[in-house]
Amino acid sequence: MNCIKCGREIPEGELFCAACSLAPAHKEAAHPPAARQQRKPAKRAAPLPPSKRPVQKRPAEPEKKRSLRAAVAIVLLSMMLALSLTYIGLSYNRLAQDRGRLRTREADLQVRENEIAGLEREWETMSQQLAAAQESEKKLRAEVERLSRQLNDSEGNVSQAQYDMNSQQQELDRLRAENVELVEAADELDRQVKELTGKVTSLTAQVNALDISNEALSEKASFMDRYVVFVNNDSSKLYHSYSCKTFTRQNFWAYSRKLAENNGFSPCPDCQRKE
C-alpha cells in the first residue's frame, strides 16, 4: 500500500505514512480503487526528519495479562507460605522428639541411681554382717583357748579329768565345727563383698557416663527453654515458655524468641519476667 500524498510504500500494519503522516484510511475514503489506478503517482517528497515523525503510541497492556501476572504472584506467595509452615512443623516435631528422648534418659538415670543406692545399702548390710561374724569368730577362738586350758588343768584328776575331757572334747568338737562353719561363712561373705565391689565399680562407671549424657541433655534442654517460645492459638498475643501454667500444649506455634517478637507477640508476664 502506497501513501496518496507522497507515494511512499506504507508497511503492512502501520497506521500512518512515515513521511507525511497521512492515514491510509483517508486515502481509501478520498479515492475509490478505480480512480486510484488511473492516477499517476506523485513525486516522492523528501522524508521527514525523525524529530518530526509522528510518535506511535504503544497499545495498552491487556487486562488479561495483568490478571495472569497477579495470579502467578499469588501462587508463588502461597507456595512460599506452605514451605514455611512445613519447616516450622518439622522443627517442632524434632523439638518434641528431643524432649521425649531427654525425659527417657532422665527416667533411666533415676532408675540406675535407685539401683546403685540399693546395692550400696546391701553392701553396707553385708559389711556389717561380716564384721559381726569376725567378732563372733574371735569370741569362739577365745572360748576354744579357754577350754583348752581347762582341759590341760583337769588332766591330773583321772576320772574327773576323763569325764571333763570327754565333755570338753565334745564341746571343743562342736565349737570347731561351728568355727569351720563361721570360717566358711566368712569366706562366702568375702566373696560376696568382692562381687558387690565389682558391681559397684561397674555401676559407678555407668553413673559417670549417664551424668555426662544427662549434662549434655540438660544443656540442650536449657538452650531450648532459653531460645524457643510457644504461642497459644488464641487472641492473647503472648508467648510462653514450655513450663508456663498458661501454655495449653494443645493448639500452638513454636517460635524463636526474636521471631515471636518480630511477629508482634509480647512476653508472658508470668513466665517471662526478667531476673
Side-chain angles (χ1 to χ4, degrees):
M1 182 184 298
N2 297 326
C3 179
I4 62 174
K5 181 177 181 180
C6 62
R8 292 179 176 274
E9 183 179 0
I10 300 175
E12 185 176 357
E14 295 292 338
L15 300 177
F16 298 93
C17 175
C20 60
S21 302
L22 183 65
H26 296 168
K27 178 184 72 173
E28 296 291 339
H31 302 282
R36 188 170 64 249
Q37 292 178 359
Q38 297 177 0
R39 184 177 180 179
K40 295 181 180 180
K43 294 182 179 181
R44 296 182 179 179
L48 295 176
S51 59
K52 295 183 178 180
R53 293 178 183 177
V55 178
Q56 298 180 3
K57 295 182 179 180
R58 186 176 180 181
E61 186 178 6
E63 183 67 23
K64 185 176 181 180
K65 289 186 178 180
R66 290 196 296 271
S67 300
L68 180 60
R69 290 180 180 177
V72 170
I74 292 173
V75 170
L76 291 177
L77 289 175
S78 300
M79 292 176 65
M80 293 176 65
L81 179 60
L83 290 174
S84 300
L85 293 175
T86 302
Y87 176 76
I88 292 173
L90 292 175
S91 300
Y92 172 72
N93 288 334
R94 285 196 295 270
L95 176 62
Q97 292 174 1
D98 291 340
R99 287 184 177 274
R101 286 194 293 268
L102 177 61
R103 290 174 180 170
T104 302
R105 292 287 183 85
E106 290 177 348
D108 189 17
L109 179 61
Q110 185 65 35
V111 171
R112 294 293 181 85
E113 289 177 351
N114 292 336
E115 290 177 355
I116 291 171
L119 289 174
E120 289 178 349
R121 290 193 296 270
E122 185 177 356
W123 179 74
E124 291 177 357
T125 302
M126 298 293 282
S127 299
Q128 292 174 359
Q129 292 177 356
L130 177 61
Q134 291 175 350
E135 185 66 24
S136 179
E137 182 184 3
K138 290 180 180 180
K139 292 179 179 180
L140 289 174
R141 287 179 180 177
E143 184 68 18
V144 168
E145 292 177 358
R146 185 183 66 80
L147 292 174
S148 297
R149 289 193 298 269
Q150 288 179 359
L151 180 61
N152 294 328
D153 294 339
S154 62
E155 287 180 355
N157 194 348
V158 178
S159 59
Q160 187 66 32
Q162 187 66 33
Y163 174 79
D164 291 339
M165 185 176 64
N166 291 334
S167 61
Q168 293 292 335
Q169 185 65 37
Q170 292 175 0
E171 184 68 18
L172 179 61
D173 293 338
R174 185 182 65 81
L175 292 175
R176 285 177 178 174
E178 291 180 358
N179 187 34
V180 170
E181 292 178 357
L182 289 173
V183 170
E184 292 177 354
D187 293 337
E188 179 65 19
L189 288 174
D190 288 336
R191 186 187 65 79
Q192 292 180 2
V193 167
K194 290 179 181 179
E195 183 178 356
L196 289 174
T197 302
K199 288 183 180 180
V200 168
T201 303
S202 176
L203 289 174
T204 301
Q206 293 179 8
V207 167
N208 292 334
L210 289 174
D211 286 340
I212 295 173
S213 177
N214 187 34
E215 183 178 356
L217 292 174
S218 297
E219 182 178 357
K220 185 175 181 180
S222 177
F223 175 83
M224 300 301 291
D225 291 337
R226 184 180 301 171
Y227 294 103
V228 177
V229 295
F230 302 92
V231 177
N232 291 321
N233 187 11
D234 54 20
S235 59
S236 63
K237 300 296 286 182
L238 298 176
Y239 63 82
H240 313 271
S241 62
Y242 182 80
S243 59
C244 182
K245 63 181 180 180
T246 57
F247 174 44
T248 60
R249 303 182 182 88
Q250 293 179 355
N251 190 4
F252 60 90
W253 292 279
Y255 294 95
S256 67
R257 192 182 302 275
K258 185 174 291 185
L259 180 58
E261 292 177 354
N262 290 339
N263 287 340
F265 294 99
S266 302
C268 174
D270 294 332
C271 64
Q272 301 295 324
R273 291 193 297 266
K274 295 184 178 180
E275 296 180 356

